[in-house]
Amino acid sequence: GPSGVPSGEPTGSPTDGPTLEPTACLDDYSFRFKTSARASSKDCDWVALHPFGRCHIPIAVHGVRGTVGGFCRQTCNACPGDTAFPSAYPTLVPTGRPSVRPSGAPSA
C-alpha cells in the first residue's frame, strides 16, 4: 500500500492497471478569475449563468493556457463522456445524473 509520504522522484513504470473508480467531475470551487483588470473576481457560479459563452473564455494559470471550462468542468459539461456544450441536437435518452444547478429553462 501507499506509504503516506510522497516520494521525491516519480516512479519509473506505470501502475499495473487502470484506476477502478472514475475521478469526480466537479467544478473547482477555489477557482477565481477576472475578465479584465478592473473587473470583480468571477467563479463557476458566474459561468453557470451563461455557460454557452463563458465556458470558452480563454485563461492562463501559471503560464498554462486553457479555458474557464477546464476549471468549471461540471458546469461546462467538460467531463469525460459529456458532449460539448451545448450539443447540436437533443439527446435521445436522458443523462444518468441530474443537473446540479437548474438551467432556468423548461426542458419540454
Side-chain angles (χ1 to χ4, degrees), residues 59-66:
I59 58 168
V61 177
H62 303 293
V64 178
R65 295 188 180 276

Side-chain angles (χ1 to χ4, degrees), residues 4-29:
V5 178
S7 62
E9 298 289 323
T11 58
S13 60
T15 60
D16 292 333
T19 305
L20 298 178
E21 305 226 357
T23 303
C25 185
L26 303 172
D27 291 343
D28 179 349
Y29 287 101

Side-chain angles (χ1 to χ4, degrees), residues 1 3-4 8 11 23 31 35 39 44 46-47 51 53 57-58 65-66 73 75 80 82 84 86-87 93-94 96 101:
S3 67
T11 58
T23 303
F31 173 63
T35 54
C44 294
W46 179 82
V47 174
I57 294 173
R65 295 188 180 276
R73 294 175 62 201
T75 292
D82 285 348
S87 57
V93 295
R101 294 180 184 90

Side-chain angles (χ1 to χ4, degrees), residues 32-48:
R32 301 286 183 274
F33 69 102
K34 290 186 173 192
T35 54
S36 70
R38 292 186 174 187
S40 61
S41 182
K42 312 293 187 205
D43 60 15
C44 294
D45 288 335
W46 179 82
V47 174

Side-chain angles (χ1 to χ4, degrees), residues 74-94:
Q74 188 171 22
T75 292
C76 295
N77 290 335
C79 302
D82 285 348
T83 58
F85 186 88
S87 57
Y89 302 99
T91 56
L92 298 176
V93 295

